[in-house]
Amino acid sequence: MLRKLIAGNWKMHGLRDEGVALAEGLAQRTADGQAACDWLICPPFTLLAPVGGAVRDSVVMIGGQNCHVAAAGPHTGDISAAMLQDMGCGYVILGHSERRQDHGESNALVKAKVQAALGAGLIPIVCVGESESQRDAGKTLAVIEEQFDESLPGAAQSIVIAYEPVWAIGTGRTPAKEDVAEVHKHLRGLLRARLGGAGDQVRLLYGGSVKPGNAAELLAIDEVDGALVGGASLKLDDFWAIGEACP
Ligand code: PGA
C-alpha cells in the first residue's frame, strides 16, 4: 500500500490572515511527526509565500493550482512551473475540471503543462473525471482512458493522478464506492500497461466532495492512495479529520 497523500485545493479562496492561520494550524497538528499520511496544501498563488512560510519547518508541503507551459516569457498574468518551484512548491494541480471548463484547457494543453512541471522538478497532480451525462451514457471508463492517454506524457512516472468526477465536485455527492474502485482499478491497469512495475508507485487520489463523514470509506477503497479535497480543506478540523481517516 502506498502512503496516502491528502491534498487541499483551496481554489480561489483565502486572504492572508485566514490562509496563514489554516496553514499554521495544520503545521502544529503534524508537529509530533506521527502523521499517518503526507499533507499538501495548494493555496492561490498570492498565498504561496505566506503559507509556505507558515509550514516551512513542518512536514506540510505546498503546491500550485496551475502553471503555464513556458518557463518564462510574454504571458501576462501567468505563472511558470519554475516560479512555483522557486516558491517552495513540490506539486502542481493540472487539468482540474474547473480549468478545463473555465479556461477551455484541452488534454493536449494539460499534457504540455505536465511536461513543463516535470521539467521544473514538480510532481503534477493530473485530474481526470467524467461529467454526469458521460456517466449516464455509460462512458465513464472511456472518458477516463482518453484523458489518461491524451493528458499524460508516455514515460512520466513522477506523477499523481486525481480521479474527480465533475458532478461530484462541490456538490456533496459522491459515487458509490464500487464505482470509485472500478475507475481506480482501470487507471492502475493503464499505468501498469504503460510503465510496468513503476505504475504501481503512482498515487491515485479520489476527489469530489470528500469530507470527514465519507473519508474513511473512500480512503479504504482499493487503489485509492489519498484525496484531493476542495471545500473541506478550508476548515482545519475537517481537513485534519480527513487525514485522520487514513487507514
Ligand atoms: P470539493 O472539490 O472537495 O469541494 O468537491 C474537490 C476539487 O475540486 O478538487
Side-chain angles (χ1 to χ4, degrees), residues 23-231:
E24 278 175 354
L26 187 61
Q28 277 161 15
R29 291 193 191 197
T30 55
D32 63 4
Q34 303 295 307
C37 57
D38 291 339
W39 288 99
L40 171 68
I41 297 176
C42 300
F45 293 136
T46 50
L47 292 187
L48 282 173
V51 164
V55 300
R56 181 160 299 128
D57 297 320
S58 79
V59 295
V60 180
M61 303 175 287
I62 59 167
Q65 298 176 13
N66 176 41
C67 69
H68 195 273
V69 296
H75 305 290
T76 302
D78 278 313
I79 306 280
S80 74
M83 291 169 177
L84 293 176
Q85 201 273 342
D86 189 46
M87 291 302 290
C89 291
Y91 291 79
V92 59
I93 299 168
L94 293 174
H96 191 282
S97 62
E98 287 156 11
R99 292 210 59 89
R100 291 178 187 264
Q101 273 164 15
D102 294 357
H103 300 273
E105 291 196 5
S106 64
N107 288 332
L109 181 64
V110 174
K111 183 177 185 174
K113 291 185 177 198
V114 170
Q115 276 159 330
L118 291 168
L122 298 177
I123 299 176
I125 300 176
V126 185
C127 303
V128 297
E130 82 287 0
S131 67
E132 185 148 39
S133 59
Q134 288 166 331
R135 172 161 286 276
D136 290 345
K139 292 189 183 145
T140 298
L141 294 184
V143 169
I144 302 293
E145 191 160 333
E146 183 175 295
Q147 289 174 333
F148 178 94
D149 285 343
E150 295 180 6
S151 342
L152 285 166
Q157 297 187 9
S158 198
I159 55 169
V160 173
I161 299 177
Y163 168 51
E164 296 207 311
V166 178
W167 53 274
I169 294 174
T171 60
R173 297 162 60 207
T174 51
K177 63 179 184 203
E178 295 74 20
D179 293 339
V180 175
E182 183 184 38
V183 172
H184 280 241
K185 188 168 167 232
H186 193 66
L187 281 167
R188 184 67 70 202
L190 294 172
L191 284 164
R192 282 188 189 137
R194 233 192 221 196
L195 302 173
D200 287 333
Q201 300 308 312
V202 173
R203 288 196 278 203
L204 299 174
L205 311 186
Y206 168 78
S209 295
V210 178
K211 48 188 181 237
N214 60 22
E217 182 174 73
L218 289 164
L219 290 164
I221 297 170
D222 238 20
E223 307 289 5
V224 172
D225 308 309
L228 182 55
V229 186

